[in-house]
Amino acid sequence: MVTPRKHGTVDIDGLAVFYETEGDGKTIVLLHGGLADNSTWAAQFSGLSPYRQVVAPERQAQGHTPDQPGRLTYQAMADQTVRFLGALGLGPVDLLGWSDGGMVGTLIAAEHSELVRTLTVSGSGFSTAGYVPGAMEDLVALSPGDEDMEMFAAMYAQASPDGPEHFPEVWEKMRTMWAEPFDWTERVEQISAPTLVIVGDDDYIRVEHAEDFSHRVENGQLAVVPGASHLVPMEKPDLFNQLVLEFTTNSVPETMMPVRRKAGK
C-alpha cells in the first residue's frame, strides 16, 4: 500500500518552499521544469511511488512557492534545493530533473556529490550550444499574454500564492534567465554520480548535445525517446518511468558487447 500524498512547506531563508511527498523506500527527488509545478509530475507520482519515496519541491516563483525580490538564477535555485534537502534530512538521493530542474540537478551533482546517489535529466543541457537553433530565441520572445503562454499562465494562476497578476513579472525574470548564455562543461565533467540523460527526438535540446552530456560525465547513459518532444515525462510516462526505475535500481550497466565501456577506455 502506497503512503498517501502529503504536502508541506519548509522555510528556506524566509521563503516558504512548498513540497509534496508520496510512497516509501529509497528517496527520489523530482525537480520540475521551468515555470511549471508538481502537477506536471502526476504520472511520475503514480508510477514511481509504489516503489520509491517520491519528494517534489516547487522552486521560487513556481507552483505554490512564492516569489521574492530579485532575479532568478540557476545557481540560486540549486543552492535553495540543497538547503531544502538538508532541512528534510535527505541525502544521498536519486535526483530526477526535467528541463530547468535538470539544470538545477546538474549543478547540485557537480557541487554536492555527497547528496546525489544518481542523477537523471530530461530535456536538459549543459550549455547554450545545446539548444536546437532558434527554439529558445522563439520562446523568450513571447509576451506573457501570448497564446503559447496560456498553459503556463493557467498553471501559475491556479497555484501561486502571489496571484495571477504577478505572472508577467515572473515571466520577465524567467525569460531573462533563459536568454543568458552559459557553459557548464567543466562542472559536468566533475559529476561522479551515475547519470542518465533522457531526450526526446524532437526536444529543445539537440540529441547530439544529450549524447555529449552522457559522455562527459564519469558514468553516463543516454536514452533517446522516439516520437517525443520536450514533454517526454507527460507524453511517454510509462516508458519514462521504466527508464528511471531501471536506472536508479541498477545504475552500473553490464552489457554483453561493450565498446565505449570496455575496461580502460
Side-chain angles (χ1 to χ4, degrees):
M1 181 177 178
V2 176
T3 303
R5 181 96 58 96
K6 300 176 182 177
H7 69 269
T9 59
V10 173
D11 185 281
I12 307 293
D13 297 332
L15 182 68
V17 174
F18 178 89
Y19 72 96
E20 294 178 280
T21 181
E22 183 176 352
D24 297 298
K26 286 186 176 180
T27 303
I28 183 166
V29 176
L30 311 186
L31 304 177
H32 61 76
L35 214 59
D37 60 33
N38 285 343
S39 66
T40 58
W41 286 126
Q44 282 63 57
F45 267 104
S46 63
L48 301 178
S49 62
Y51 312 97
R52 310 295 297 277
Q53 180 193 33
V54 178
V55 178
E58 292 180 336
R59 297 185 297 279
Q60 177 185 335
Q62 296 159 88
H64 298 79
T65 300
D67 193 13
Q68 286 182 324
R71 59 197 290 258
L72 290 174
T73 68
Y74 289 116
Q75 188 64 59
M77 290 190 286
D79 293 343
Q80 181 188 94
T81 304
V82 167
R83 289 194 286 273
F84 168 82
L85 295 175
L88 266 63
L90 299 175
V93 301
D94 295 308
L95 274 186
L96 168 55
W98 177 4
S99 193
D100 272 10
M103 296 164 79
V104 170
T106 295
L107 292 178
I108 295 172
E111 299 168 2
H112 298 276
S113 59
E114 75 282 0
L115 294 177
V116 184
R117 184 166 45 239
T118 67
L119 172 67
T120 301
V121 300
S122 181
S124 185
F126 61 88
S127 78
T128 311
Y131 294 124
V132 170
M136 187 55 70
E137 290 85 349
D138 290 346
L139 179 59
V140 300
L142 297 174
S143 68
D146 193 283
E147 182 180 351
D148 289 341
M149 293 297 296
E150 288 180 357
M151 178 184 72
F152 296 107
M155 197 183 312
Y156 185 88
Q158 185 170 358
S160 176
D162 295 323
E165 64 278 2
H166 190 63
F167 179 74
E169 183 173 336
V170 171
W171 171 235
E172 187 60 33
K173 290 183 180 185
M174 191 67 67
R175 70 176 177 178
T176 298
M177 181 179 70
W178 287 347
E180 201 168 293
F182 68 98
D183 186 347
W184 299 340
T185 301
E186 292 184 0
R187 297 192 190 189
V188 164
E189 292 172 350
Q190 294 171 357
I191 295 174
S192 58
T195 300
L196 172 62
V197 182
I198 302 175
V199 65
D201 64 356
D202 188 22
D203 210 315
Y204 267 78
I205 301 298
R206 294 184 298 107
V207 171
E208 296 85 354
H209 183 77
E211 181 181 24
D212 190 18
F213 194 156
S214 72
H215 287 182
R216 287 184 181 276
V217 294
E218 185 176 334
N219 298 293
Q221 299 181 38
L222 173 69
V224 181
V225 180
S229 72
H230 192 56
L231 306 183
V232 176
M234 299 174 75
E235 293 171 341
K236 306 279 187 175
D238 293 341
L239 175 57
F240 183 87
N241 293 344
Q242 179 184 357
L243 289 169
V244 171
L245 285 171
E246 289 184 359
F247 171 69
T248 55
T249 299
N250 181 19
S251 58
V252 181
E254 294 184 6
T255 57
M256 296 174 68
M257 296 181 66
V259 177
R260 182 168 61 89
R261 293 190 176 92
K262 276 186 178 179
K265 285 212 171 193

